Amino acid sequence: MNSENKIKVGITHGDYNGIGYEVILKTLEDERMLELMTPVVYGSTKLFNATRKSLNMSQLNFVERKSAAEASENEITVINVVEGDPQPEPGRSTPEAGKAALAALQMAVDDLKSGEIDVLVTAPINKHNIQSDEFHFAGHTEFLEEKLGEEGDKALMLLVDGGLRVALVTGHIPVSKVGESVTTDLILEKLDVLNQSLKRDFTIVRPLIAVLALNPHSGDNGLLGDEEQNIIIPAIQEANEKGIMAFGPYSADGFFGSGLHTRFDAVLAMYHDQGLAPFKALGMDAGVNFTAGLPYVRTSPDHGTGYDIAGKGEASPDSMREAIYAAIDIYRRRDTHDSATANPLRKHYHERNKHDNTIVDLSE
């Protein structure tokens, strides 16, 4: 690979009391990663080095830089964003860890917008201890929609594992609020973002999208709920009229249990656990969380902070590695798609003049 094709990947350290540093270092330990990208880790040089020693990775070298602009190829760059002397407490949620996670995320997002990095990969945060006046969101997805969205862009949480892709109509909200939040307009919005992402980010020309029902047994003809007839089916019909190949609604249990998901390019679930529970059962080890719908590429592992195994050296780097691969692949696909569609040929339509049989050009 030519060095000019290397993509600069920004990686935030997440909650440092979790497994973030462990999965980052285990991923970067593979020398082949530097052949694919130029990694820039936003975090703490002290914590990076301490984790390196605890994992017996003395051969893993890194360079501390003040900015991503100074990052050089063939080396791991660490930007120190943590104030003071961080004291990790593996497995515990602390305000200090939340503050450090936010500092890394804010700098990385600024660099992504300014072009100092090409893509963003985020290690898991604790959604509670990161809350502050600057972060009042349910998670990364909502934060990034506000900070990276342009002209009303809507973010879509899309879980990816090979050919399995699961998106959500509602994200990080209480189950008690799901019913009132699911509307025909919202489903249409998510279907449109998902359809466009499948085309642009995954090069699928005519995506087939399965839409899940909200109620058990798809509402059983209204016996168990009428959201299917009144909200979901109208949304699917309107999507079809717009050229989106959406089908359903399918009862979630039978849909995944029968393997029907393998016949579609993506699945749109109504709420968080309806989509993520089967996804993680099928692809937990290497699943990736991709924020579709935004002008910038962001991915993350599909697991959480892993407090229960933090500091034990037991965390698998597979999902972090796949998150980096996915970010690079999506970035390249977008570039190819955008280049191919930047200057489309004009369409020409001709009609014969019924009076003298000459051809009239009706070009757009």
Side-chain angles (χ1 to χ4, degrees):
M1 179 181 296
N2 295 327
S3 61
E4 62 185 20
N5 292 327
K6 284 188 180 180
I7 293 172
K8 191 176 289 187
V9 179
I11 306 171
T12 58
H13 66 168
D15 188 311
Y16 62 63
N17 288 327
I19 59 174
Y21 275 102
E22 182 179 342
V23 297
I24 291 171
L25 268 69
K26 284 183 175 179
T27 297
L28 298 180
E29 183 184 26
D30 187 339
E31 296 179 355
R32 293 172 296 180
M33 297 302 292
L34 288 180
E35 298 175 8
L36 295 174
M37 63 163 180
T38 300
V40 180
V41 179
Y42 295 82
S44 162
T45 52
K46 174 187 175 181
L47 296 176
F48 191 100
N49 194 45
T51 306
R52 183 180 68 154
K53 291 180 179 178
S54 69
L55 295 174
N56 296 316
M57 295 183 182
S58 58
Q59 79 287 354
L60 183 67
N61 297 316
F62 71 95
V63 178
E64 180 180 357
R65 303 289 188 189
K66 292 183 178 180
S67 71
E70 300 176 4
S72 299
E73 294 183 354
N74 302 316
E75 68 180 23
I76 299 169
T77 294
V78 178
I79 300 177
N80 195 38
V81 301
V82 182
E83 297 180 356
D85 184 22
Q87 300 297 322
E89 299 179 56
R92 292 192 59 195
S93 172
T94 65
E96 293 77 15
K99 184 178 180 180
L102 179 57
L105 183 59
Q106 288 175 319
M107 180 177 285
V109 166
D110 287 344
D111 284 352
L112 185 63
K113 292 175 70 174
S114 66
E116 296 295 345
I117 57 176
D118 298 309
V119 299
L120 174 62
V121 179
T122 59
I125 59 173
N126 180 311
K127 296 177 179 63
H128 177 71
N129 67 27
I130 198 173
Q131 296 297 317
S132 67
D133 292 339
E134 298 171 293
F135 192 104
H136 44 83
F137 305 89
H140 275 117
T141 304
E142 296 80 4
F143 174 83
L144 295 172
E145 179 180 89
E146 178 170 300
K147 300 301 181 182
L148 298 177
E150 298 175 356
E151 298 180 355
D153 290 328
K154 296 296 182 180
L156 175 70
M157 185 186 297
L158 179 58
L159 282 295
V160 182
D161 181 24
L164 176 62
R165 306 177 188 91
V166 178
L168 306 176
V169 173
T170 61
H172 298 118
I173 65 172
V175 174
S176 61
K177 296 186 180 298
V178 170
E180 64 187 54
S181 300
V182 173
T183 65
T184 297
D185 288 343
L186 183 59
I187 295 172
L188 276 169
E189 174 189 293
K190 300 301 183 181
L191 279 171
D192 184 59
V193 174
L194 178 57
N195 188 59
Q196 292 301 319
S197 178
L198 292 171
K199 291 179 177 180
R200 186 185 183 207
D201 301 326
F202 297 93
T203 62
I204 300 172
V205 178
R206 295 292 301 278
L208 301 179
I209 303 172
V211 180
L212 299 185
L214 175 63
N215 299 298
H217 307 296
S218 296
D220 214 355
N221 294 317
L223 180 64
L224 303 177
D226 59 9
E227 286 84 359
E228 283 70 27
Q229 287 90 344
N230 297 336
I231 296 174
I232 301 176
I233 291 176
I236 293 173
Q237 292 173 339
E238 191 168 341
N240 292 160
E241 293 172 0
K242 294 175 61 177
I244 299 173
M245 300 182 69
F247 303 86
Y250 297 98
S251 180
D253 58 348
F255 180 81
F256 287 102
S258 66
L260 192 57
H261 61 279
T262 61
R263 302 183 185 180
F264 293 89
D265 298 303
V267 181
L268 182 65
M270 292 297 114
Y271 58 94
H272 188 278
D273 284 13
Q274 184 189 52
L276 268 62
F279 176 87
K280 292 189 176 183
L282 294 168
M284 180 68 182
D285 291 338
V288 174
N289 183 344
F290 165 51
T291 305
L294 298 180
Y296 304 92
V297 177
R298 174 263 174 171
T299 64
S300 74
D302 72 342
H303 57 71
T305 55
Y307 281 158
D308 57 325
I309 58 173
K312 299 179 180 179
E314 300 174 0
S316 169
D318 291 350
S319 188
M320 172 60 77
R321 183 184 304 111
E322 291 300 324
I324 292 174
Y325 288 158
I328 294 172
D329 289 343
I330 291 169
Y331 181 86
R332 288 174 173 163
R333 292 189 200 115
R334 280 191 178 184
D335 184 62
T336 300
H337 176 275
D338 293 349
S339 296
T341 58
N343 297 295
L345 295 174
R346 291 182 65 195
K347 295 180 180 179
H348 290 272
Y349 300 94
H350 300 88
E351 183 180 271
R352 289 188 177 276
N353 189 310
K354 63 182 179 181
H355 299 293
D356 57 11
N357 206 36
T358 58
I359 296 178
V360 179
D361 189 348
L362 301 178
S363 300
E364 294 181 337

